[in-house]
């Protein structure tokens, strides 16, 4: 399967509302796409706006775990080491103590999520759209206390669900989950991804608990198949292969202002930027990002 140049457009909001009219000489493709509103999670851990050394080392450990999992999956799926593996040393991250406070600006948001529909009839779930991983999982009806507060996926209630019979375990920079793979129909941004691989989770680690500040139900990876633990087709590539998308593109606008963030599939919101200010770079080699979470 082949991608044209994929643009994951990140527009940081610096004003409260988008430009009312499209920029000159830039045709809007919003007539052919739908805006997916995104909600944000406040970063309570850093609400004090004071530098916390322990938080820094926790973040370094998060990055280490994230890229370790990515490189293991890449080598398994391609048969070759990741091109950057020689520069990445698999070693533990030591924790250091520190007590020197440093004032930093806190943007008060570190996670954005939106809605998808899964199954027939579709049931609504909230997911993090993650560009650093490739798999879609949902808390299943077999997941008990660790999934409390989340909407649960019941394959038996969907006429389009098929059990693949394959167990899975996914490890992210923050959080782990395990369960069984299914194939079902997924609806997002006005499009349908038929026969999409979906992980029905039996277990969530504490990092995915709603009580631990993870408000969405689950996570949907948008990256390439080379880092898929399911060894299947990721959601965006399924949509792209369907030939329904106007463009092989998805775009984000991320903002700390409530209700001002969005994702667009099959195009970008041309009301939000001037095309002559952008530089486009073709994807010549897939040096893939780490698993999110």
């Amino acid at each position: 399967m082949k991608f044209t140049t994929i643009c994951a457009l990140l527009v940081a909001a610096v004003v409260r509302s988008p430009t009312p009219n499209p920029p000159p000489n830039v045709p809007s493709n919003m007539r052919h796409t739908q805006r997916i509103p995104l909600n944000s999670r406040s970063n309570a851990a850093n609400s004090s706006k004071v530098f916390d050394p322990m938080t820094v080392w926790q973040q370094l450990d998060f990055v280490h775990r994230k890229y370790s999992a990515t490189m293991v999956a890449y080598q398994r799926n391609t048969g070759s080491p990741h091109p950057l593996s020689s520069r990445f040393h698999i070693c533990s991250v030591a924790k250091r103590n520190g007590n020197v406070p440093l004032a930093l600006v806190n943007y008060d948001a570190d996670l954005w999520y939106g809605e998808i529909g899964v199954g027939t009839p579709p049931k609504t779930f909230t997911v993090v759209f993650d560009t650093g991983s490739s798999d879609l999982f949902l808390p299943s009806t077999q997941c008990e206390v660790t999934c409390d507060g989340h909407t649960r996926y019941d394959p038996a209630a969907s006429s389009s669900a098929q059990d693949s019979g394959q167990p899975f375990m996914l490890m992210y920079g923050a959080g782990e989950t395990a369960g069984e793979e299914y194939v079902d129909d997924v609806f997002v941004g006005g499009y349908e991804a038929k026969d999409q691989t979906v992980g029905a989770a039996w277990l969530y680690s504490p990092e995915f608990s709603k009580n631990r500040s993870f408000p969405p139900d689950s996570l949907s990876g948008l990256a390439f198949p080379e880092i898929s633990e399911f060894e299947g087709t990721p959601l965006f590539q399924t949509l792209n292969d369907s030939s329904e998308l106007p463009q092989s593109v998805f775009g984000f606008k991320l903002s700390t202002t409530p209700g001002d963030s969005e994702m667009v599939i099959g195009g970008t919101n041309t009301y939000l930027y001037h095309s002559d200010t952008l530089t486009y770079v073709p994807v010549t080699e897939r040096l893939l990002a780490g698993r999110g979470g």
Side-chain angles (χ1 to χ4, degrees):
M1 54 196 80
K2 182 180 179 181
F3 270 97
T4 57
T5 300
I6 295 178
C7 168
L9 178 66
L10 174 63
V11 182
V14 294
V15 294
R16 290 189 175 272
S17 60
T19 306
N21 296 308
N25 304 320
V26 179
S28 174
N29 55 27
M30 292 300 290
R31 291 175 298 174
H32 308 290
T33 58
Q34 290 190 19
R35 177 181 183 272
I36 305 171
L38 299 179
N39 296 307
S40 65
R41 173 187 68 179
S42 294
N43 187 353
N46 292 323
S47 59
S48 65
K49 302 183 181 179
V50 176
F51 175 73
D52 179 5
M54 185 57 67
T55 300
V56 173
W57 287 104
Q58 288 173 349
Q59 180 65 18
L60 289 175
D61 186 54
F62 162 84
V63 172
H64 170 262
R65 294 177 59 196
K66 175 178 178 178
Y67 284 95
S68 294
T70 291
M71 293 188 182
V72 169
Y74 183 94
Q75 183 162 352
R76 185 197 63 238
N77 292 339
T78 66
S80 302
H82 191 282
L84 297 180
S85 60
S86 61
R87 304 180 187 179
F88 184 83
H89 301 289
I90 307 297
C91 58
S92 61
V93 178
K95 302 294 191 299
R96 298 181 182 177
N97 295 321
N99 56 7
V100 182
L102 176 67
L104 297 177
V105 176
N106 173 27
Y107 290 97
D108 202 32
D110 66 345
L111 180 151
W112 288 261
Y113 57 95
E115 293 184 350
I116 64 171
V118 181
T120 307
K123 186 172 184 178
T124 300
F125 298 88
T126 54
V127 300
V128 176
F129 294 105
D130 180 27
T131 58
S133 66
S134 300
D135 301 310
L136 166 62
F137 67 87
L138 300 169
S140 78
T141 50
Q142 297 185 49
C143 186
E144 298 180 352
V145 65
T146 59
C147 294
D148 281 355
H150 292 304
T151 301
R152 289 173 169 85
Y153 170 61
D154 183 4
S158 172
S159 62
S160 51
Q162 303 174 51
D163 189 349
S164 300
Q166 295 291 326
F168 73 86
M169 176 177 289
L170 300 176
M171 300 178 63
Y172 294 86
E176 301 174 4
T177 183
E180 187 165 352
E181 294 178 25
Y182 283 78
V183 172
D184 209 340
D185 295 341
V186 177
F187 302 84
V188 56
Y191 299 102
E192 179 181 4
K194 295 187 69 67
D195 299 330
Q196 178 63 45
T197 302
V198 177
W202 306 330
L203 180 71
Y204 269 14
S205 68
E207 292 85 355
F208 289 134
S209 168
K210 198 146 193 171
N211 296 329
R212 290 281 297 270
S213 299
F214 190 79
D217 299 313
S218 55
L219 184 148
S220 176
L222 300 175
F224 291 113
E226 284 88 342
I227 60 172
S228 170
E229 293 289 347
F230 294 166
E231 301 183 36
T233 305
L235 177 60
F236 182 75
Q237 189 139 8
T238 300
L239 293 172
N240 187 65
D241 293 345
S242 71
S243 300
E244 294 184 12
L245 300 183
Q247 296 175 282
S248 299
V249 170
F250 58 87
F252 289 98
K253 175 192 176 184
L254 304 180
S255 170
T256 56
T257 302
D260 205 28
S261 299
E262 68 179 46
M263 176 185 179
V264 176
I265 291 182
T268 58
N269 188 342
T270 51
Y271 289 78
L272 297 175
Y273 65 93
H274 293 274
S275 63
D276 58 2
T277 65
L278 301 180
T279 298
Y280 292 88
V281 180
V283 177
T284 57
E285 189 172 0
R286 299 180 186 180
L287 302 182
L288 300 150
R291 300 180 64 81

